[in-house]
Amino acid sequence: MVQHDILFTRHPANPILTAKDWPYSINSVFNAGATLLPDKSTLLLCRVEDRRGHSHLCAARSVNGVDGWQIDGKPTLPADPEKYPEELWGIEDPRITFVPELQKYAVAYTSYSRGGPGVSLALTKDFHTYERFGVIMSPDDKDAALLPRRINGFWALIHRPMTPLGAHIWISYSPDLRHWGGHKLMLEARRGAWWDANKIGMSPPPIETPRGWLMIYHGVRRTPSSSIYRLGLALFDLEQPEKCLVRGDSWMFAPEADYERHGDVQDVVFPCGYTVGADGDTINLYYGAADSSIALAHGSIRCLLAWLDANGHSEQANDRRQRQT
Ligand code: BMA
């Protein structure tokens, strides 16, 4: 008997992409950014780990977003440590945002430098050629995505700097995508026994809804034997995105299937992208499973918001409750 709400339903064909599908030799494929192309086909920009342990990005395209993937025959965006030394140990976990003002896709990704992982940005029109901006958030920082439009005249980047006091979600602003400031704490990891204690990060880019930016974020529960990556929900003000309106208490998606529980890193579900169906409500969530494959689950934006209404609290209420713990 299931007594909790099921917000995302796994596709029966899961995992939809694995190393065996790749046209060249790799170790694993996971954590893919996603977008719909102008012809309504789906593009996944996949994190591919080679057999040295370094990652690059490779595009896979499909008409229905489920199967028939056309995978680039070589890395689409290889690390380029000659020109970009911060990419020495590879590039990981891309998040794609289509930016109407630029008529380009912004890809925020982790560049793994000698100084730790940082956030890099590239713009592309076609996922064939890229304009690289280099590191825009210095290490240790990851889990970043650009918002699709300016907020009060400034570009906005959500990201996750790491500190000895915890890993929380921040938002920063820029007039030109190169110089960043106005840093604000957006969502804090909880503490103690919570599923999202100490370390959280944004998963895919936030979903713009009439009620606010809807964020799917991951919470990392450290256990004596390993870590569990689960997903929660929070909603932020449209014009002041650092303001959290409501945050869910419990997680809403967690590793359960065998391909999520077992792999190179056990117990990980890690979405970096989604597409929205023609109905404007269906969300197709693409997630890395156990750092080994790519899986797909379907949900409804309306149901996610209704779940938050029923299961969430405002940040003021959460602050009060935190102080009591
Ligand atoms: C996080 C990220 C992800 C990875 C996850 C689980 O820190 O680096 O790339 O999927 O760990 O290993």
Side-chain angles (χ1 to χ4, degrees), residues 30-31 47 92-93 142 199 229 265 268 270 291:
F30 51 112
N31 303 1
R47 171 177 173 188
E92 308 177 349
D93 302 355
K142 48 168 72 171
K199 186 176 178 183
Y229 279 72
V265 183
V268 179
F270 202 94
D291 282 12

Side-chain angles (χ1 to χ4, degrees), residues 225-299:
S225 56
S226 66
S227 298
I228 310 174
Y229 279 72
R230 303 184 178 108
L231 303 178
L233 280 182
L235 187 69
F236 299 86
D237 188 88
L238 278 181
E239 298 313 320
Q240 204 188 328
E242 56 269 15
K243 189 170 159 208
C244 181
L245 304 173
V246 49
R247 176 183 196 167
D249 277 352
S250 46
W251 69 78
M252 55 90 193
F253 194 73
E256 283 172 17
D258 185 64
Y259 52 87
E260 299 160 355
R261 299 224 50 211
H262 305 289
D264 277 4
V265 183
Q266 68 187 58
D267 293 322
V268 179
V269 286
F270 202 94
C272 289
Y274 61 84
T275 59
V276 176
D279 59 4
D281 183 58
T282 303
I283 167 159
N284 308 307
L285 189 68
Y286 294 92
Y287 61 99
D291 282 12
S292 295
S293 63
I294 295 175
L296 168 62
H298 302 288

Side-chain angles (χ1 to χ4, degrees), residues 63-256:
V63 173
N64 62 11
V66 177
D67 52 23
W69 294 98
Q70 300 284 326
I71 302 169
D72 284 357
K74 58 181 181 28
T76 309
L77 190 61
D80 186 3
E82 296 273 302
K83 284 206 204 102
Y84 299 90
E86 67 273 11
E87 299 182 1
L88 179 67
W89 291 326
I91 60 179
E92 308 177 349
D93 302 355
R95 273 81 168 187
I96 303 171
T97 306
F98 181 70
V99 183
E101 180 185 329
L102 305 174
Q103 285 296 303
K104 286 178 186 161
Y105 301 90
V107 184
Y109 57 93
T110 304
S111 42
Y112 200 164
S113 79
R114 215 178 258 287
V119 175
S120 288
L121 182 74
L123 297 182
T124 183
K125 265 186 183 308
D126 52 12
F127 296 96
H128 293 296
T129 56
Y130 294 83
E131 180 192 349
R132 271 166 150 106
F133 283 62
V135 180
I136 57 167
M137 290 292 159
S138 58
D140 188 332
D141 205 326
K142 48 168 72 171
D143 300 329
L146 189 72
L147 293 190
R149 57 181 171 82
R150 295 174 195 253
I151 306 289
N152 298 318
F154 290 91
W155 299 109
L157 185 89
I158 300 173
H159 58 112
R160 203 286 308 280
M162 189 90 157
T163 81
L165 291 181
H168 312 294
I169 299 175
W170 285 68
I171 187 163
S172 303
Y173 295 93
S174 170
D176 57 5
L177 296 174
R178 292 186 186 275
H179 303 91
W180 294 88
H183 313 292
K184 297 209 168 58
L185 181 58
M186 195 175 178
L187 194 71
E188 251 182 276
R190 284 182 267 217
R191 297 174 52 186
W194 283 92
W195 68 275
D196 56 354
N198 306 317
K199 186 176 178 183
I200 60 170
M202 183 180 55
S203 273
I207 305 157
E208 190 167 5
T209 78
R211 292 185 46 194
W213 300 101
L214 178 60
M215 184 195 284
I216 300 176
Y217 71 95
H218 55 270
V220 186
R221 172 70 171 274
R222 280 197 69 78
T223 74
S225 56
S226 66
S227 298
I228 310 174
Y229 279 72
R230 303 184 178 108
L231 303 178
L233 280 182
L235 187 69
F236 299 86
D237 188 88
L238 278 181
E239 298 313 320
Q240 204 188 328
E242 56 269 15
K243 189 170 159 208
C244 181
L245 304 173
V246 49
R247 176 183 196 167
D249 277 352
S250 46
W251 69 78
M252 55 90 193
F253 194 73
E256 283 172 17

